[in-house]
Amino acid sequence: MSRGSTEQPSTADGPRQTGRATLRDVAKLAGVSIATASKALNNQPQVRAETRTRVLQAAEQLSFSPNTLAQGLITQRSGTVGLLTSDLEGRFSIPILMGAEDAFGSDQTSVFLCDARGDNLRERHHLRALLSRRVDGLIVVGARPDARPSLGRDLPVPVIYAYSPSDDPADLSLVTDNVGGGRMAVDHLIRHGRRRIAHITGDPSYGAAQDRARGALDRLAEEGLPLAGDQVWFGAWSEAWGRGATRMLLQRDPDIDAIFAGSDEIARGVLDVLHQEKLAVPTQVAVIGFDNWNILAVNARPPLTTIDMNLEALGRLAAQRLFAAIDGTLGSGVETVAPRLITRESTAPLD
Amino acid sequence: MSRGSTEQPSTADGPRQTGRATLRDVAKLAGVSIATASKALNNQPQVRAETRTRVLQAAEQLSFSPNTLAQGLITQRSGTVGLLTSDLEGRFSIPILMGAEDAFGSDQTSVFLCDARGDNLRERHHLRALLSRRVDGLIVVGARPDARPSLGRDLPVPVIYAYSPSDDPADLSLVTDNVGGGRMAVDHLIRHGRRRIAHITGDPSYGAAQDRARGALDRLAEEGLPLAGDQVWFGAWSEAWGRGATRMLLQRDPDIDAIFAGSDEIARGVLDVLHQEKLAVPTQVAVIGFDNWNILAVNARPPLTTIDMNLEALGRLAAQRLFAAIDGTLGSGVETVAPRLITRESTAPLD
DNA sequence: TTGTAGGCGTTATCAA
DNA sequence: TTGATAACGCCTACAA
């Protein structure tokens, strides 16, 4: 192997093969017992200052790094969690992972990321592997924001479902508040003086599509405003549908002054057609998206105001709940995380 | 904790607290010694068939799962690798992770994914954590396809740099063949009868931009073809630049018949302006991108022909090299992975 | 074919 | 303040 450790730690029995110093090496070098070395390194009080520095120096010199596996064997805690995802692109799982990393602290807990690729068998495999690695907990991230099958009730570690809730109400699930997000989007448009607001969104079989629409309609109703375009335009989560729906919408109702798109992809399609029809954004028509998918939102023309699902916050929360559950009880039901508005240039006050 | 293991394994000393059966529990239930149970479960030959089934049944009944941490202590192998990335969106690391997972086999090896977020300090933290977890190897994925600082030469485990090469030639790096990719793109256009080919690409400080351009120019030269637009249009990796460059290009050289864009983002900008200028794609002008970033390429109008960097293959290769290195030697230098052409509708034969 | 004993690298509980 | 000693869960000679 092309590595050259200069410090080959050795025992009385001869040089070590592994290339990694153990606590015994440190103790030997410092001239103390293993127990003392351990105490010194874990800064326990009952150790003389002079001894401690001697041990610390020895450890430094051997670039000693404690074997977490051995520690875990004793403490019954591996300091790892598994993130089991089905989200091929990592679009949702990565922010969640980062949030979790943040909350755990990278030196405390490491995260195994496993992608089941929508395959149930592969999920079972990964699950088994993670359990045998003695993860302290599990975060499950589904492929879409709808209920997914529970992993089951009698797992030996706490499990949290993030983004996609579990279909078993006894499990704890953390999801974005899609109703609130829809409401937030429309509220933003209303505050900007828009009155003729339409809504184009994706596949109606997605709970998220229904929820966002509901939030939008609720807010509209509060204001006594009708939905422009006479209906929620359900379709597909694609730019193509965004384009098609916008064309139909404009035909039916040419003087809308705002469109709430159920995703940034759809919003891109909307912008495209608006552009083509020479309708100025945001002056004539304001557009707001959903997801804050950077590559789409920032590059849009104009850059897209959108609703961010706050997945990092969701990841942080998952980590906190997991952490609390490790020596307490885990709740159940569905907990909701508030999304947040990202203002860019595709919306602006009327006038 | 909200879990209800029905099988509470117990020892003679009383019920277990952990909720997880150990080999001792299995042995006890099967009425054999721990050693025999171990042999039976690891199907070693020297064990009577009847005994084995008895052990297997006991294990099943207790839903025994061997403690990988304990195994690792003995075998000096954790069965884990670390994937250390700086790629915030996971755009490159996820495919690489999936490739590595594939090659390792999910039951053999699990992957720790750590994101350093471009922060050097955080990277050191993660590195330390991974080493103390006794990962068997490390895959390092940088943020951009250019040389990144080496982790150093005397790490106790083999390290492979993927996507971004290490700046130390003694390390082993695996990267996409960008020169070959550029060549491949232009070759495709030439085969489709295009003769007036222009190239718009990103930030010239990126090695990848230079390499792709070089490949393109090489192939053009072989054919005795000039570069349309008189120059390689370097700029930024954004749609906005794609739009701006296309406008300038069309002004300088209105009758190009193909554009090779250095990224799919840029290609989107190119398509946008072509559309605006009423130039039909692909009939009048063919467009090819780079990256095969699905969300951009598939949704483009028309869907984008592009060069895929084959990152999954890169991940698989990294896993294989790592695996080989664990009890052999790791090579050094830069190894290259061939990209592949993804044909969609933005290119077609002329006529 | 089965069981006993020692050890992997730590930590924790005692005595000294 | 320090050091034996016994775990933790598993594997592997070696002995029976």
Side-chain angles (χ1 to χ4, degrees):
Chain A
M1 221 166 286
S2 68
R3 7 157 163 145
S5 184
T6 37
E7 309 288 355
Q8 263 297 343
S10 57
T11 66
D13 325 316
R16 311 199 88 253
Q17 307 301 333
T18 87
R20 262 124 137 178
T22 108
L23 192 52
R24 209 169 42 147
D25 301 317
V26 175
K28 196 145 293 176
L29 182 59
V32 297
S33 75
I34 295 185
T36 306
S38 171
K39 287 169 198 154
L41 288 171
N42 296 306
N43 32 290
Q44 301 211 219
Q46 350 93 306
V47 74
R48 198 157 42 122
E50 193 265 330
T51 312
R52 164 159 303 141
T53 48
R54 206 144 34 90
V55 172
L56 256 30
Q57 272 173 9
E60 172 72 14
Q61 189 177 336
L62 299 174
S63 52
F64 168 76
S65 150
N67 186 329
T68 312
L69 276 57
Q71 293 181 146
L73 206 46
I74 295 179
T75 61
Q76 304 283 22
R77 198 145 297 174
S78 65
T80 62
V81 309
L83 183 39
L84 197 49
T85 166
S86 306
D87 154 29
L88 308 246
E89 319 184 33
R91 187 172 140 213
F92 311 118
S93 25
I94 292 288
I96 292 175
L97 170 66
M98 312 240 292
E101 254 184 6
D102 269 1
F104 282 132
S106 57
D107 27 332
Q108 301 302 319
T109 304
S110 299
V111 180
F112 285 116
L113 182 60
C114 302
D115 196 315
R117 293 169 222 189
D119 177 356
N120 207 285
L121 190 61
R122 209 186 308 243
E123 182 169 289
R124 299 318 290 190
H125 272 347
H126 275 137
L127 180 59
R128 196 201 321 254
L130 289 171
L131 290 179
S132 84
R133 298 228 133 78
R134 293 301 186 265
V135 291
D136 297 329
L138 244 24
I139 300 176
V140 180
V141 179
R144 42 180 277 187
D146 279 302
R148 53 145 284 148
S150 172
L151 249 33
R153 295 195 179 192
D154 39 37
L155 259 25
V157 295
V159 182
I160 290 187
Y161 298 80
Y163 182 68
S164 311
S166 160
D167 63 1
D168 182 349
D171 291 326
L172 177 59
S173 304
L174 266 33
V175 303
T176 303
D177 177 8
N178 281 302
V179 176
R183 159 179 291 278
M184 188 179 284
V186 167
D187 181 72
H188 175 71
L189 296 172
I190 289 174
R191 281 171 190 280
H192 278 6
R194 311 290 167 160
R195 319 286 297 170
R196 310 275 311 139
I197 302 172
H199 182 32
I200 298 174
T201 191
D203 188 332
S205 78
Y206 278 59
Q210 299 292 346
D211 289 347
R212 291 168 195 175
R214 186 146 60 83
L217 291 174
D218 283 359
R219 184 69 190 83
L220 242 22
E222 283 174 15
E223 210 70 12
L225 250 31
L227 177 68
D230 300 334
Q231 56 162 295
V232 175
W233 298 79
F234 288 105
W237 300 108
S238 69
E239 287 191 40
W241 167 245
R243 291 191 287 261
T246 305
R247 277 193 213 97
M248 293 190 284
L249 170 65
L250 288 175
Q251 216 151 355
R252 164 127 21 140
D253 198 340
D255 36 61
I256 49 164
D257 60 15
I259 298 178
F260 165 34
S263 79
D264 290 346
E265 272 184 274
I266 293 176
R268 287 293 299 248
V270 169
L271 285 175
D272 210 359
V273 170
L274 254 22
H275 223 257
Q276 213 169 279
E277 301 296 325
K278 310 275 186 235
L279 287 166
V281 178
T283 39
Q284 288 178 274
V285 181
V287 176
I288 185 168
F290 208 108
D291 284 348
N292 193 26
W293 198 351
N294 244 276
I295 179 68
L296 295 178
V298 170
N299 275 307
R301 191 165 44 148
L304 197 61
T305 294
T306 188
I307 304 291
D308 186 298
M309 291 198 273
N310 247 339
L311 293 175
E312 294 209 22
L314 205 149
R316 278 196 296 277
L317 188 59
Q320 287 161 10
R321 292 280 177 278
L322 222 43
F323 204 74
I326 284 171
D327 31 32
T329 47
L330 188 59
S332 62
V334 177
E335 216 172 315
T336 239
V337 172
R340 69 183 204 279
L341 175 73
I342 307 291
T343 309
R344 296 204 183 84
E345 300 160 38
S346 68
T347 56
L350 212 49
D351 308 344
Chain B
M1 219 166 291
S2 67
R3 4 156 165 149
S5 183
T6 35
E7 310 288 355
Q8 263 296 344
S10 56
T11 66
D13 324 318
R16 311 199 89 253
Q17 307 300 332
T18 87
R20 264 124 135 176
T22 109
L23 191 53
R24 212 172 37 150
D25 300 318
V26 175
K28 195 145 296 178
L29 182 58
V32 299
S33 74
I34 295 185
T36 305
S38 171
K39 287 169 198 155
L41 288 172
N42 296 307
N43 32 291
Q44 300 210 221
Q46 351 95 303
V47 79
R48 200 158 40 129
E50 192 265 330
T51 312
R52 162 159 303 136
T53 47
R54 204 142 37 89
V55 172
L56 257 29
Q57 272 173 8
E60 171 71 16
Q61 190 178 335
L62 299 174
S63 53
F64 169 77
S65 149
N67 185 330
T68 312
L69 276 56
Q71 292 182 144
L73 248 196
I74 296 178
T75 62
Q76 304 283 23
R77 198 144 297 171
S78 66
T80 62
V81 309
L83 183 39
L84 196 50
T85 166
S86 306
D87 153 29
L88 309 244
E89 320 184 35
R91 185 171 141 213
F92 311 118
S93 24
I94 293 287
I96 291 175
L97 170 68
M98 311 241 293
E101 252 184 8
D102 269 0
F104 281 131
S106 56
D107 28 332
Q108 301 301 319
T109 304
S110 299
V111 180
F112 285 116
L113 181 61
C114 302
D115 196 313
R117 294 169 222 190
D119 178 355
N120 208 285
L121 189 62
R122 210 186 306 242
E123 181 169 290
R124 301 317 290 189
H125 272 347
H126 274 136
L127 181 58
R128 197 201 322 255
L130 290 171
L131 290 178
S132 84
R133 298 232 134 77
R134 293 303 187 264
V135 291
D136 297 329
L138 242 25
I139 300 176
V140 180
V141 179
R144 42 180 275 186
D146 279 302
R148 53 145 285 149
S150 172
L151 249 32
R153 294 197 178 190
D154 41 37
L155 260 24
V157 295
V159 182
I160 290 188
Y161 297 81
Y163 182 68
S164 310
S166 160
D167 64 1
D168 181 350
D171 291 325
L172 177 58
S173 304
L174 267 34
V175 302
T176 304
D177 177 7
N178 281 302
V179 177
R183 160 179 291 278
M184 189 178 282
V186 168
D187 181 73
H188 174 71
L189 296 172
I190 288 174
R191 282 171 190 280
H192 278 5
R194 312 289 166 160
R195 320 287 297 170
R196 309 274 314 137
I197 301 173
H199 182 32
I200 297 174
T201 190
D203 188 333
S205 77
Y206 277 60
Q210 299 292 345
D211 289 348
R212 291 169 196 175
R214 186 147 60 80
L217 292 173
D218 282 0
R219 185 68 189 85
L220 241 24
E222 283 173 15
E223 211 70 14
L225 250 30
L227 177 67
D230 300 335
Q231 56 161 292
V232 174
W233 298 79
F234 288 105
W237 300 108
S238 68
E239 287 190 41
W241 167 244
R243 291 191 288 260
T246 306
R247 278 193 212 98
M248 293 190 285
L249 170 65
L250 287 176
Q251 215 151 357
R252 165 125 22 137
D253 199 340
D255 38 59
I256 48 164
D257 60 15
I259 298 178
F260 165 33
S263 79
D264 290 346
E265 271 184 274
I266 293 176
R268 287 293 298 248
V270 170
L271 286 176
D272 209 358
V273 170
L274 255 23
H275 224 256
Q276 214 168 280
E277 300 296 325
K278 310 277 186 233
L279 286 165
V281 177
T283 39
Q284 290 177 272
V285 181
V287 175
I288 185 168
F290 208 107
D291 284 348
N292 192 26
W293 198 350
N294 245 276
I295 178 68
L296 295 177
V298 170
N299 275 308
R301 190 166 45 146
L304 197 60
T305 294
T306 188
I307 305 291
D308 186 298
M309 293 199 272
N310 246 341
L311 293 174
E312 292 209 23
L314 206 149
R316 278 197 296 275
L317 189 59
Q320 287 160 10
R321 291 280 177 279
L322 221 44
F323 203 73
I326 284 169
D327 31 32
T329 48
L330 188 60
S332 61
V334 178
E335 217 172 315
T336 241
V337 172
R340 69 183 205 281
L341 176 73
I342 305 292
T343 309
R344 295 204 182 85
E345 298 160 38
S346 67
T347 56
L350 211 49
D351 308 343

